[in-house]
Amino acid sequence: MSAQHGAGSAALVIAAREGDTQAQDALVNAYLPLVYNIVGRALNGSVDVDDVVQETMLRALHGLDGLRTPERFRSWLVAIAMNQVRTHWQDRQNAPGAVDEAQDLADPGADFVDLTVMQLQLSGQRQETARATRWLEPDDRGLLSLWWLECAGELTRTEVAAALDLSTQHTAVRVQRMKAQLEAARVVVRALDARPQCEELRVVLAAWDGLPSALWRKRIARHARECVRCSGLWSGLMPAEGLLAGLALVGVSSALLASVRSATGGMAAAGSATPLGASAGPVPGQGRAASRTESLRRRRMRRRAVSAAVVAACVAGGGFWYFGTDSGDGAGGTTAERAEATPVVDLSAPSPEKSSPSASASPSPSVSKTKKARPSKSPSPTPKKTTPAPRRSTPPAPTPAGTPQSQPAPSGTVAQVVALVNKERASAGCGPLTEDPQLEKAAQNHSDDMAARGFFDHTNPDGADPGQRITATGYRWSTEGENIAQGQQTAASVMDSWMHSPGHRANILNCSFKNIGVGVHKGAGGPWWTQDFGTRM
């Protein structure tokens, strides 16, 4: 999406404003996924998501005359999307019969969380985070929809603040509050998924109706803090920003794209010019209330058709964006250059990361597993297998004979990486990291294993994640994290790649880490780089 921003989109905006239908279609193609992800996540479960998305695009296209700075089209569009979301919330609260129709507002076929998990093939803590969004209040979900895209590299903090009509400082405060609620919601997801479930929690849940809500989020989270058995659920939460960094957008189905194109094309042909403040849809009132039931039925049928189309596309290997493949914006490095950072317990699927060119194809970082968090990795710019690697219940097998053997990098290479890490930490006010032989062993083994078995992930084909691999060396940690990369030829280039990725950078500048181990495997298709961070118990 970022590739469409700036001068290129400004030219499209100017052409579209002058009535060029091809330019209008190009704007829809370029920005519909962004709007869909904002609205879909903010209104998760609502049957009105497609309508709000369509209304947003209509208002934007027919309000182009009022946009004085074409280069700011994206920021302006995001603000319109959030205004439409707020208008939808207000209409729902004020609509006649809103209480009676509450049961109709959520529709399993329109669940954006399920679409996110399915399309992006989320697993581990990324999936946990997506599911936790169901437990947020509407205001926090709206903010999350923007912040998620900021973490993924689709929006800037300035654009998020403008969409909220807040200062960047106030936005930062709001984001911190929302992240606290999201963290509690992630613990709730863990508590409900735990098997066997805590007996004391069963008592707490006796009166629960099974629907996510702020009230029950607070009750379950409070139990998890006070319960001896459940208190451990707060451990190992990777920072959400690391998990979301570099994630692709949820793809727009062909059905929704065709619907929006038809609507925008029809209005353009009719020559209508709806002001931004006016309604382009039915006028609120009794007529709207009278047709609500039929409208809900039509929307539900359409959303189910859209969901079916998305499922079919994913099964067939299609879709506009894929988690673990190129994001479609043209950004990223060569096939050979990839970087990933692992969070505490995720380390599963890769996702494309949109950062500066130097961070070629870097995956989203994996957060430190402290009993506190590690970012997950973002995918490489080139297509990767989307099918998860097989997991075996047996411990990781030794490298088979005949596979590439470790070719230790010159001692200077590892020393250079450590020196560069400590230089960056010093600039950020963090203490230097001390090289640890056990972390070095874990890192080198992982680099060797990626080269030998042809995978690029924090979790190996046997299902062992960084925490398990580090523990296997005898290192008893209270916090751990991992960065990986592939293809960068020098210590300076791999560090440049990591430092241009929010999640990897967060690991490097995590002041709670005390030790580091670096592993490098050189060979055709490499080098493969691994940084393991930790703090002993």
Side-chain angles (χ1 to χ4, degrees), residues 69-125:
T69 310
E71 291 80 7
R72 297 192 60 215
F73 175 78
R74 184 174 68 172
S75 299
W76 180 69
L77 177 64
V78 172
I80 293 175
M82 289 307 297
N83 282 334
Q84 290 303 114
V85 167
R86 286 189 284 268
T87 297
H88 176 271
W89 286 337
Q90 293 168 1
D91 286 349
R92 293 278 55 75
Q93 292 171 354
N94 300 328
V99 174
D100 293 337
E101 294 171 359
Q103 297 292 331
D104 294 327
L105 296 182
D107 176 25
D111 193 322
F112 202 83
V113 170
D114 287 344
L115 288 177
T116 300
V117 171
M118 175 184 66
Q119 272 203 43
L120 304 189
Q121 298 191 358
L122 303 187
S123 61
Q125 290 201 36

Side-chain angles (χ1 to χ4, degrees), residues 435-495:
E435 291 182 72
D436 183 274
Q438 291 171 322
L439 288 179
E440 185 172 282
K441 179 180 180 182
Q444 187 62 54
N445 286 348
H446 192 55
S447 291
D448 293 343
D449 194 27
M450 287 192 291
R453 293 200 273 178
F455 70 97
F456 182 67
D457 205 326
H458 295 291
T459 301
N460 67 24
D462 300 303
D465 66 21
Q468 294 168 322
R469 290 187 277 100
I470 291 173
T471 299
T473 67
Y475 185 95
R476 297 188 62 200
W477 51 268
S478 59
T479 302
E480 62 87 10
E482 182 175 89
N483 288 345
I484 61 176
Q486 179 186 349
Q488 294 82 353
Q489 296 302 308
T490 65
S493 63
V494 74
M495 278 297 296

Side-chain angles (χ1 to χ4, degrees), residues 155-178:
L155 298 177
T156 65
R157 174 54 60 90
T158 300
E159 289 172 326
V160 172
L164 297 172
D165 197 20
L166 299 173
S167 67
T168 54
Q169 293 83 357
H170 192 179
T171 299
V173 173
R174 285 278 309 278
V175 166
Q176 288 304 315
R177 291 175 180 169
M178 179 273 295

Side-chain angles (χ1 to χ4, degrees), residues 37 41 116 120-122 126-127 129-130 148-149 151-154 240-250 321-325 327 346 349-354 362-365 376-379:
N37 277 259
R41 203 158 277 121
T116 300
L120 304 189
Q121 298 191 358
L122 303 187
R126 281 179 168 166
Q127 181 182 118
T129 301
W148 183 304
L149 293 175
C151 293
E154 297 289 341
E241 52 266 48
L243 293 168
L244 305 180
L247 281 180
L249 296 175
V250 172
W321 276 275
Y322 251 81
F323 186 69
T325 64
S327 64
D346 187 358
S351 69
E353 175 171 322
K354 297 181 173 103
S362 52
S364 89
S376 76
K377 64 177 190 183
S378 39

Side-chain angles (χ1 to χ4, degrees), residues 12-58:
L12 282 178
V13 169
I14 293 171
R17 186 162 55 191
E18 294 174 351
D20 186 331
T21 56
Q22 289 186 336
Q24 291 173 359
D25 281 348
L27 284 178
V28 170
N29 289 340
Y31 291 100
L32 183 62
L34 180 67
V35 173
Y36 178 61
N37 277 259
I38 291 172
V39 175
R41 203 158 277 121
L43 301 182
N44 182 57
S46 172
V47 295
D48 297 322
V49 168
D50 284 1
D51 289 345
V52 175
V53 170
Q54 181 170 295
E55 180 71 5
T56 297
M57 296 306 299
L58 288 172

